[in-house]
Amino acid sequence: MSLAFDDYGRPFIILREQGSKSRVRGTEAVKANILAAKTVARTLRSSLGPKGMDKMLQSPDGDVTITNDGATILEQMEVQHQIGKLLVELSKSQDHEIGDGTTGVVVLAGSLLEQAESLLDMGIHPLRIAEGYEMACKVATAHLDSIATKWDFSPEEVEPLVQTCMTTLSSKVVGRLKRQMAEICVKAVLAVADLPRRDVNLDLIKVEGKVGGAMEDTRLVEGIVIDKDFSHPQMPKELKDVKIAILTCPFEAPKPKTKHKVDIDTVEKFESLRHAEQQYFIDMVQKCKDAGAGLIICQWGFEDEANHLLMHHNLPAIRWVGGVEIELLAMATGARIVPRFEELSPDKLGFAKCVREVGYGTTKERSIIIEGCPNLSAVTIWVRGGNRMVLDEVRRSLHDALCVARNLVRDNSIVYGGGSAEIACSLAVEAAADKVVGVEQYAMRAFADNMVRVEQYAMRAFADALEAVPLALAENSGLPSIESLTAVKARQLAESNPHLGIDCNDAGTNDMREQNVFETLIGKRQQMFLATQVCKMILKIDDIIQPSQYD
């Protein structure tokens, strides 16, 4: 770095290439990364479990979000540190793949990294720690498979699905209505599920809502809800057994593509132009009537003349319908999307038993509900809430429950919640660690201790405070965390019962089978895989090169 002056005598600094970068290497770099990850993980720790706390986040625009969903919190936190951003991506991966468990996977990753810091102080190489974590993860996931339970269900017997969705909704704002909401989500998933192929397309389930009313007014619509109204206020508000034409061509007069100018200097010319335009609209409406359509749904808007003619010819219409709704309507009603009026024919029309417009309270807001579609491959969960923040949180909660029901359709294996699965896996990892020769056993025990913090392991270098899933559940529930955790682990060892967990609901029993607290096996397995892989990635970073910041 050197000082120089320009032609006007103003000083400026010349930086060499390496002088423009700050650099952290070796163990110092690993610890700096671990510190950033722990900070992010601690933020979510208090939001874990049925008694978890909510976070209030304010966007730069002033919008306020109140939620305890891990993926939503991290997405809106504006994390600056690169390692913190890795945990944000970790929660997104869990959300995209599983849909639930986004808070738990970040807490687990932060616990693993905090434990690794103690091992680094012992002089263990980060790569050996990562290898030990990989071995421990294999043992833990294998033990998960051994303690999992298969839940058989059918369209007639959906109680297993409902119970598992209720566990997911226990920590949400809809917790007091978890039974009602879980039943709605299960019905929606089964309506669009392909059970022989064990596949569910969640894109066919719309979660829409309007501010107003109570959460109890939330219901499942076996069809599509469009946040629009009929294009003319004098059109009928309810149609029965109607044939539907779905158009992506506008009700407009043709316009030349080149610049043009029309001179109208007499009344006769104006009348002639108006008559020609009106005739064009009449031809459009007549083509729809000739095809047998009783309702027009158009992706584009109408001119006033066209809208008046549609009403005059008793042809109800809905305009400005979005592309996603257009596709869902086509799938549900069996209609073909028509790009030109010339292609409209009776075989391209859809059908619905009922199309009606509904209003809300004293406001002028309206929505169209289309029910009785021949192809019930698209349904809508219509959510109501007292304000926008509650409405958004209910929608996020229902998304998690829908994902859980979908996962059970894919794989009907479940494990018991309340931290029981983590405690059982930690015991299995500890037993396996005693059989491993070398420093990997410390990392394996670290993997176990990140799930359960036990004071008897204070002799180990890495037995410091660990934010683990069962410990966080106990703390967030107001229980004496260490005592509760130690008691549950002792009972699991003595009784060989992997279903014992933290009594977060104060039900008087630690047996999660009696409390009906379930989690999907693939969700829990994915948490361990993702957390382990992210920890491996972070531990293998030993050199941080970034531009220096000058004020």
Side-chain angles (χ1 to χ4, degrees):
M1 182 171 65
S2 59
L3 183 66
F5 298 86
D6 62 10
D7 296 338
Y8 297 96
R10 292 175 299 196
F12 61 94
I13 297 175
I14 300 176
L15 296 175
R16 297 182 180 88
E17 182 180 356
Q18 292 300 319
S20 64
K21 299 177 180 178
S22 63
R23 193 163 184 169
V24 184
R25 303 183 182 182
T27 305
E28 188 178 342
V30 179
K31 288 189 175 182
N33 293 337
I34 291 176
L35 178 61
K38 287 195 302 182
T39 304
V40 175
R42 284 172 181 169
T43 304
L44 293 187
R45 185 169 171 269
S46 61
S47 297
L48 187 67
K51 303 294 179 64
M53 306 298 285
D54 291 347
K55 310 294 183 193
M56 184 169 68
L57 305 132
Q58 184 174 1
S59 69
D61 297 332
D63 294 334
V64 176
T65 301
I66 300 176
T67 182
N68 65 356
D69 181 64
T72 305
I73 294 171
L74 290 179
E75 186 178 356
Q76 300 191 19
M77 270 178 57
E78 295 186 6
V79 178
Q80 298 295 327
H81 197 281
Q82 298 303 319
I83 298 302
K85 291 180 179 179
L86 277 180
L87 292 190
V88 176
E89 294 300 321
L90 170 66
S91 69
K92 286 183 180 179
S93 299
Q94 179 76 13
D95 193 33
H96 293 164
E97 186 70 20
I98 302 299
D100 189 31
T102 53
T103 305
V105 70
V106 176
V107 172
L108 184 58
S111 301
L112 286 170
L113 290 170
E114 186 171 356
Q115 184 63 27
E117 190 174 16
S118 300
L119 298 178
L120 289 171
D121 292 336
M122 295 174 59
I124 300 176
H125 194 277
L127 194 59
R128 303 296 296 275
I129 299 174
E131 291 173 355
Y133 279 173
E134 187 74 19
M135 296 169 61
C137 182
K138 292 180 180 178
V139 173
T141 51
H143 188 68
L144 274 179
D145 293 335
S146 66
I147 64 174
T149 303
K150 291 283 187 181
W151 273 38
D152 295 325
F153 65 90
S154 64
E156 294 77 25
E157 178 55 44
V158 298
E159 188 62 23
L161 296 178
V162 173
Q163 291 288 350
T164 311
C165 289
M166 287 172 61
T167 302
T168 300
L169 296 173
S170 296
S171 61
K172 309 296 184 183
V173 71
V174 296
R176 64 185 179 87
L177 301 172
K178 58 184 180 181
R179 178 83 194 187
Q180 174 188 344
M181 297 296 182
E183 290 176 352
I184 289 174
C185 292
V186 170
K187 290 179 182 177
V189 168
L190 292 180
V192 302
D194 188 349
L195 293 180
R197 294 176 54 197
R198 306 183 73 88
D199 183 42
V200 179
N201 183 6
L202 288 185
D203 291 336
L204 299 176
I205 303 175
K206 284 183 61 183
V207 183
E208 297 290 342
K210 280 285 187 182
V211 173
M215 286 190 292
E216 289 85 345
D217 298 329
T218 299
R219 65 189 185 93
L220 178 66
V221 177
E222 294 183 348
I224 309 296
V225 178
I226 306 174
D227 192 13
K228 302 291 179 184
D229 55 1
F230 286 112
S231 60
H232 198 286
Q234 295 182 15
M235 288 179 178
K237 304 303 181 185
E238 184 170 356
L239 306 172
K240 297 288 187 180
D241 297 329
V242 60
K243 292 186 177 180
I244 302 173
I246 299 178
L247 307 176
T248 56
C249 46
F251 274 87
E252 293 180 353
K255 297 177 181 179
K257 295 183 179 180
T258 58
K259 291 183 179 180
H260 59 281
K261 181 180 179 183
V262 178
D263 291 326
I264 301 176
D265 51 9
T266 64
V267 176
E268 290 76 14
K269 290 182 180 180
F270 177 79
E271 286 294 331
S272 176
L273 179 63
R274 190 188 70 83
H275 180 73
E277 191 172 283
Q278 186 181 52
Q279 188 60 43
Y280 191 84
F281 290 136
I282 292 174
D283 292 342
M284 290 180 177
V285 175
Q286 193 59 44
K287 288 176 182 177
C288 297
K289 297 286 286 185
D290 292 342
L295 173 65
I296 302 296
I297 297 178
C298 186
Q299 188 176 11
W300 304 104
F302 307 148
E303 292 189 2
D304 291 340
E305 183 76 16
N307 199 19
H308 169 74
L309 289 171
L310 284 168
M311 189 275 297
H312 183 71
H313 286 80
N314 195 25
L315 186 59
I318 307 169
R319 55 184 169 183
W320 299 118
V321 180
V324 176
E325 286 86 357
I326 286 284
E327 294 179 1
L328 283 173
L329 283 167
M331 287 187 285
T333 62
R336 297 283 299 275
I337 299 175
V338 180
R340 288 182 294 272
F341 285 97
E342 291 76 11
E343 298 181 12
L344 189 59
S345 59
D347 60 309
K348 294 182 179 179
L349 300 180
F351 176 80
K353 291 183 179 179
C354 180
V355 178
R356 55 195 174 93
E357 180 183 290
V358 294
Y360 306 98
T362 58
T363 66
K364 295 182 179 180
E365 295 186 2
R366 300 286 187 269
S367 294
I368 300 291
I369 298 179
I370 301 175
E371 297 176 300
C373 304
N375 303 326
L376 283 180
S377 57
V379 296
T380 303
I381 299 178
W382 191 242
V383 182
R384 303 303 305 277
N387 56 53
R388 184 185 57 80
M389 287 181 287
V390 170
L391 195 67
D392 292 342
E393 182 63 6
V394 172
R395 292 172 66 176
R396 283 189 289 267
S397 303
L398 293 179
H399 169 74
D400 289 354
L402 289 171
C403 290
V404 167
R406 175 199 62 184
N407 295 337
L408 280 175
V409 172
R410 291 179 175 176
D411 182 356
N412 61 340
S413 299
I414 60 104
V415 293
Y416 291 88
S420 60
E422 285 84 355
I423 297 173
C425 288
S426 71
L427 295 174
V429 171
E430 288 176 6
D434 294 333
K435 303 175 184 177
V436 176
V437 178
V439 297
E440 283 85 358
Q441 66 170 301
Y442 291 97
M444 293 185 70
R445 290 180 177 179
F447 187 92
D449 280 0
N450 81 76
M451 298 179 183
V452 183
R453 178 186 175 188
V454 184
E455 291 298 314
Q456 290 88 336
Y457 290 108
M459 65 184 69
R460 300 175 185 172
F462 49 83
D464 204 356
L466 300 175
E467 291 80 19
V469 172
L471 181 62
L473 288 173
E475 288 181 352
N476 294 342
S477 302
L479 302 174
S481 54
I482 297 173
E483 290 84 349
S484 300
L485 209 50
T486 307
V488 172
K489 185 173 182 181
R491 284 190 59 191
Q492 278 212 19
L493 276 171
E495 303 174 17
S496 299
N497 184 0
H499 306 141
L500 298 175
I502 304 298
D503 184 14
C504 299
N505 296 321
D506 198 21
T509 176
N510 292 106
D511 195 329
M512 296 298 107
R513 289 177 298 183
E514 297 180 16
Q515 291 199 29
N516 292 325
V517 178
F518 315 108
E519 297 183 58
T520 57
L521 172 63
I522 58 176
K524 189 64 67 180
R525 186 195 296 138
Q526 189 77 4
Q527 281 187 354
M528 294 187 180
F529 273 130
L530 289 177
T532 303
Q533 295 304 317
V534 167
C535 290
K536 283 184 62 179
M537 179 186 298
I538 294 174
L539 289 173
K540 292 176 73 174
I541 299 173
D542 72 337
D543 203 343
I544 304 173
I545 305 171
Q546 59 185 2
S548 297
Q549 296 179 353
Y550 293 91
D551 296 328

